[in-house]
Amino acid sequence: MGDVVTVPGTYGLGPIEVTAVRDGQVEMAAQLTGPGFSVSGCSGGGGVSSGGRGGVRLTCGEGPAATINDAMSLKVAEVVDKAAVLRIEPAG
């Protein structure tokens, strides 16, 4: 754990840190760099909570991509044991 993915500033997030991989889900945290935050479509019973100090926590399982801030697509492509493959690209 602790892997960090830097994303373009236009996505409205600072670097995304993977904080845990368990039970088929990936837990992530990131600082907000824009004025708001939105997410839709996180699969696997995912959820979002405030991380305090302008941050968010996101939990997603394998499946369709989530759209974050209408700018970024985040897909958990595969979870195996304590490892995961994430696909991050522009939304659209």
Side-chain angles (χ1 to χ4, degrees):
M1 291 334 95
D3 287 345
V4 176
V5 179
T6 301
V7 297
T10 55
Y11 292 170
L13 295 175
I16 300 170
E17 179 183 2
V18 175
T19 57
V21 178
R22 63 174 165 244
D23 300 326
Q25 296 193 324
V26 181
E27 297 176 16
M28 298 160 272
Q31 289 298 116
L32 298 177
T33 59
F37 180 78
S38 67
V39 62
S40 63
C42 192
S43 65
V48 177
S49 63
S50 171
R53 298 184 315 263
V56 293
R57 294 190 179 280
L58 179 67
T59 304
C60 292
E62 287 183 44
T67 301
I68 298 172
N69 291 338
D70 296 323
M72 179 180 104
S73 170
L74 184 148
K75 177 182 174 98
V76 177
E78 185 176 14
V79 178
V80 178
D81 295 324
K82 300 287 182 185
V85 175
L86 303 179
R87 290 206 171 93
I88 297 173
E89 58 190 26

